[in-house]
């Protein structure tokens, strides 16, 4: 009895992989184009209504991505490793890493003087959370990190 083997296309010949690669490239190009007209090293988010978390009230959140240092990156990775026992493979696609960046880059204080922390970041509405993580990701892409 003769077996027929199904040929698997090489990765460079796979149309689905090609499509995904083109979409990823287009996304990176769109981010770079947007950066030319907008500041990519910082983000200011203004809440429509104040965001309250654990008796801390935030009306705006300001993030200075450009102020982060190599020490910040190492500390973020160490915190993730200690908490999850996992290492960061690619910071651009690690929500834990992006949250760590946001907490360290946030220069805002609540009305009461409190810092914006990891728990508050996780409690944000999904759209706001994604906007902040997207800005951090864009910074990493544009800084070619």
């Amino acid at each position: 009895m003769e077996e027929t083997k199904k040929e698997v296309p090489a990765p460079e010949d796979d149309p689905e992989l090609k499509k995904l690669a083109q979409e990823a490239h287009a996304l990176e190009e769109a981010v770079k184009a947007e950066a030319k007209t907008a500041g990519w090293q910082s983000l200011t988010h203004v809440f429509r209504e104040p965001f309250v978390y654990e008796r801390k009230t935030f009306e705006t959140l300001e993030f200075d991505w450009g102020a982060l240092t190599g020490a910040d990156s190492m500390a973020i990775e160490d915190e993730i490793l200690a908490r999850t026992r996992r290492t960061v493979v690619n910071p651009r696609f690690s929500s834990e890493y992006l949250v760590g960046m946001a907490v360290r880059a946030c220069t805002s204080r609540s009305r009461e003087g409190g810092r914006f922390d990891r728990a508050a970041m996780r409690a944000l509405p999904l759209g706001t959370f994604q906007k902040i993580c997207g800005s951090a990701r864009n910074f990493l892409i544009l800084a070619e990190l």
Side-chain angles (χ1 to χ4, degrees):
M1 191 184 241
E2 190 176 310
E3 287 186 40
T4 57
K5 292 185 180 181
K6 187 175 183 179
E7 280 193 39
V8 177
E12 60 273 3
D13 295 330
D14 186 331
E16 186 64 28
L17 285 178
K18 279 184 178 180
K19 180 181 175 193
L20 290 172
Q22 289 169 343
E23 289 172 358
H25 179 71
L27 177 61
E28 284 193 23
E29 292 304 313
V31 167
K32 289 176 184 178
E34 182 181 336
K36 291 179 181 177
T37 59
W40 57 276
Q41 292 196 3
S42 64
L43 170 69
T44 300
H45 177 76
V46 179
F47 291 99
R48 288 185 185 132
E49 294 182 24
F51 172 69
V52 180
Y53 181 75
E54 292 186 352
R55 295 182 290 232
K56 296 178 196 170
T57 306
F58 296 91
E59 294 178 22
T60 64
L61 292 174
E62 295 184 21
F63 302 90
D64 185 358
W65 310 120
L68 295 174
T69 66
D72 289 312
S73 181
M74 292 173 65
I76 293 166
E77 288 184 19
D78 289 346
E79 290 167 7
I80 293 169
L81 183 60
R83 194 173 55 255
T84 67
R85 297 184 187 185
R86 294 182 181 162
T87 58
V88 176
V89 176
N90 187 338
R92 292 182 199 175
F93 300 106
S94 166
S95 58
E96 289 284 347
Y97 189 90
L98 298 172
V99 166
M101 279 181 64
V103 168
R104 288 177 172 273
C106 187
T107 59
S108 300
R109 298 293 178 264
S110 69
R111 286 183 194 159
E112 302 78 19
R115 287 186 52 88
F116 187 71
D117 60 19
R118 182 175 176 276
M121 179 72 185
R122 293 173 55 110
L124 287 171
L126 180 61
T128 304
F129 177 87
Q130 290 294 350
K131 177 181 177 181
I132 293 166
C133 287
S135 179
R137 181 177 296 114
N138 290 348
F139 171 77
L140 293 175
I141 290 169
L142 293 166
E144 298 181 0
L145 300 175

